[in-house]
Amino acid sequence: MNAEVHTLVQAVRGADAMQRRRAVAKAITLLESTRPDHRARADELLAQLLPHSGRSVRLGISGVPGVGKSTFIEALGLFLIERGHRVAVLAVDPSSKVSGGSILGDKTRMERLSVDERAFIRPSPSSGTLGGVAEKTREAMLVCEAAGFDVVIVETVGVGQSETAVAGMTDMFVLMQLPNAGDDLQAIKKGVMELADLVVINKADIDPDAATRAQAQVTSALRLLTQHGRAMAWAPHVMSMSALTGEGLERFWQTVEEFLAVQRGGGALEARRKQQALEWMWERIDAGLRSEFRENPAVRELLPQLRNEVAAGRVAASTAARKLLDARRT
């Protein structure tokens, strides 16, 4: 084993809380690196940590901007820490399509949680990755689990047609909604609704009546989806709460525990994780093939000309794609 990797593994698995948090951050930085030599070390690191992973509760949190995801996650994290849990938060910020930059402000928004040694918060840029998560979120999750964090929360960049990948890497997918957000059935995408295991109407303290109405609307929508083929052991729940006041946090966690008990009892949780691991493998294959394609010498030589011709309307995009694929094969 590489000496640097060995030292990092020992630190991630170590007993010192502050040293362990620094090691987890360093390990995730290594995983996110695109340098070939770093990628080799990252693979070795994952191989050593994998046997120690898989023992956490994996929660995915998504919702429209302004719904209060960060406030909720901090309140939940502090609530869980008081009850003996160790919490890791993998927060993904959207990257600008213009500059490529991200604000990465989640540590600022979760000020109290970020300074607690029993918690770990890692903001990462989405860097153009579809699905509302960063490219290495799954690998970062394994590192956090190996470090002993028994609750791992993945916060996505928001709700949209493509921001559903978090449901494919967590045990429970929680969708957050606002009361008084207009037509709730239009405010959220059907595809996201179909994936939700629990819908939370947050900020219920602002307008309790509106929260009650929103809860009824979403409950009806979920019942309709269930009637159209989503019959299963767990019927998606809907609840209202206030992350700001803490009202409903205990009930939320009880619902999570009920969900996990149902999933473990029928073997669904184990099956879900196995399927997620296979999907992760194919996702990495797809990403690797795209990268290899772009780095192919023949493709790189032909690409500028075809890109200009497609932009000018002289060549159909499908024709250009076929020519580039043919160039790679030659």
Side-chain angles (χ1 to χ4, degrees), residues 31-32 34 91-97 100-102 124-139 154-166 169 279-280 282-284 286-288 290-291 294:
L31 292 171
E32 292 177 341
T34 57
V92 185
D93 272 5
S95 297
S96 168
K97 291 185 178 180
S102 294
S124 297
S126 62
S127 301
T129 304
L130 292 178
V133 294
E135 185 178 2
K136 304 299 182 182
T137 300
R138 287 178 175 86
E139 297 178 355
V154 182
E155 178 194 359
T156 71
V157 299
V159 172
Q161 289 177 327
S162 65
E163 271 105 352
T164 57
V166 66
M169 68 175 70
E279 290 173 358
W280 178 20
W282 283 111
E283 179 186 304
R284 292 295 83 216
D286 290 341
R290 285 197 303 271
S291 177
R294 289 179 176 273

Side-chain angles (χ1 to χ4, degrees), residues 188-227:
I188 50 181
K189 305 291 185 181
K190 180 184 176 185
V192 181
M193 279 284 284
E194 289 175 330
L195 294 172
D197 300 301
L198 173 62
V199 179
V200 173
I201 311 299
N202 193 28
K203 302 187 179 182
D205 56 304
I206 297 176
D207 191 339
D209 291 337
T212 301
R213 289 194 300 270
Q215 184 173 347
Q217 288 176 334
V218 175
T219 300
S220 298
L222 288 173
R223 188 177 298 117
L224 183 63
L225 291 175
T226 303
Q227 291 172 353

Side-chain angles (χ1 to χ4, degrees), residues 17-18 20-22 25 70-71 73-79 81 87-91 104-123 149 153 155:
M18 294 303 297
R20 186 170 54 235
R21 289 211 304 173
R22 288 193 295 268
S70 296
T71 302
I73 290 171
E74 179 174 53
L76 177 63
L78 294 171
F79 171 86
I81 283 172
V87 180
V89 180
L90 302 176
L104 303 180
D106 291 275
K107 282 194 173 184
T108 302
R109 292 193 293 265
M110 304 180 198
E111 186 176 358
R112 292 171 59 202
L113 187 62
S114 64
V115 298
D116 196 302
E117 66 178 18
R118 295 162 294 182
F120 174 81
I121 301 175
R122 175 72 177 208
F149 293 98
I153 300 172
E155 178 194 359

Side-chain angles (χ1 to χ4, degrees), residues 23-34 38 122:
V24 170
K26 188 175 180 181
I28 295 175
T29 299
L30 178 63
L31 292 171
E32 292 177 341
S33 174
T34 57
H38 286 179
R122 175 72 177 208

